[in-house]
């Protein structure tokens, strides 16, 4: 019986999904460097907001990503905090996992990746609820 490399059974799955996410991020950053302003301000509109006039959980994500890659972290957090959270947690997880897989000595085998992903989902849902409460109860638009 072989010893488990990670305490979280899903670490390998998240790692391989992280590789795909990283490759897609390279493409997205390249596109946003050239077309970010057009995509963020006028190019893409939220179908949910357009049809039923409430924010969806992803509302502000495009603008958040555009602000983040241009170094405007505070504006990125205000547009959609899930985007900078993801890009803060992602490299830490990937570097840690690569260290554990390659050296078996460096890195933290108990890295709480599933907890961090669930925290990100909670953050995404919390900002969605807060924005819609502000919009529907107080007529305050956040984006």
């Amino acid at each position: 019986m072989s010893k488990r490399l990670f305490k979280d059974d899903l670490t390998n799955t998240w790692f391989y999904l992280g590789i795909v996410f990283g490759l897609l991020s390279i493409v997205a950053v390249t596109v946003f460097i050239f077309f970010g302003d057009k995509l963020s301000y006028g190019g893409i509109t939220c179908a949910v907001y357009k049809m039923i006039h409430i924010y969806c959980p992803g509302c502000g994500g495009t603008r958040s990503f555009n602000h983040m890659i241009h170094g405007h972290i505070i504006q990125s957090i205000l547009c959609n905090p899930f985007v900078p959270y993801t890009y803060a947690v992602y490299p830490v997880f990937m570097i840690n996992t690569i260290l554990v897989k390659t050296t078996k000595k460096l890195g933290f085998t108990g890295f709480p990746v599933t907890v961090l992903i669930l925290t990100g989902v909670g953050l995404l849902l919390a900002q969605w609820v807060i924005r819609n409460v502000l919009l529907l109860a107080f007529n305050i638009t956040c984006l």
Side-chain angles (χ1 to χ4, degrees):
M1 186 169 167
S2 65
K3 184 181 172 192
R4 286 184 358 195
L5 195 54
F6 298 101
K7 291 180 183 174
D8 187 335
D9 292 333
L10 293 173
T11 298
N12 280 322
T13 303
W14 291 124
F15 178 71
Y16 293 119
L17 288 172
I19 292 170
V20 173
F21 176 77
L23 294 172
L24 291 173
S25 292
I26 291 169
V27 172
V29 167
T30 304
V31 168
F32 270 79
I33 286 172
F34 294 107
F35 305 108
D37 290 337
K38 289 179 184 177
L39 293 171
S40 295
Y41 301 101
I44 298 175
T45 58
C46 177
V48 172
Y49 188 78
K50 198 172 187 177
M51 289 189 308
I52 58 177
H53 304 291
I54 65 168
Y55 295 116
C56 77
C59 273
T62 304
R63 281 175 271 187
S64 179
F65 186 75
N66 190 40
H67 286 305
M68 188 186 62
I69 65 167
H70 287 98
H72 307 142
I73 303 303
I74 301 298
Q75 288 173 317
S76 177
I77 292 168
L78 292 174
C79 285
N80 190 326
F82 179 72
V83 174
Y85 173 84
T86 301
Y87 282 91
V89 170
Y90 170 77
V92 174
F93 165 68
M94 292 301 285
I95 290 168
N96 180 73
T97 305
I98 289 168
L99 285 173
V100 171
K101 283 178 167 283
T102 57
T103 67
K104 310 255 188 304
K105 293 179 184 176
L106 297 175
F108 178 54
T109 59
F111 193 86
V113 64
T114 302
V115 171
L116 291 172
I117 288 171
L118 293 174
T119 301
V121 170
L123 178 65
L124 183 69
L125 295 175
Q127 64 90 24
W128 173 57
V129 169
I130 291 167
R131 285 190 181 164
N132 282 310
V133 167
L134 290 172
L135 177 66
L136 299 172
F138 303 105
N139 202 26
I140 297 172
T141 57
C142 297
L143 296 173

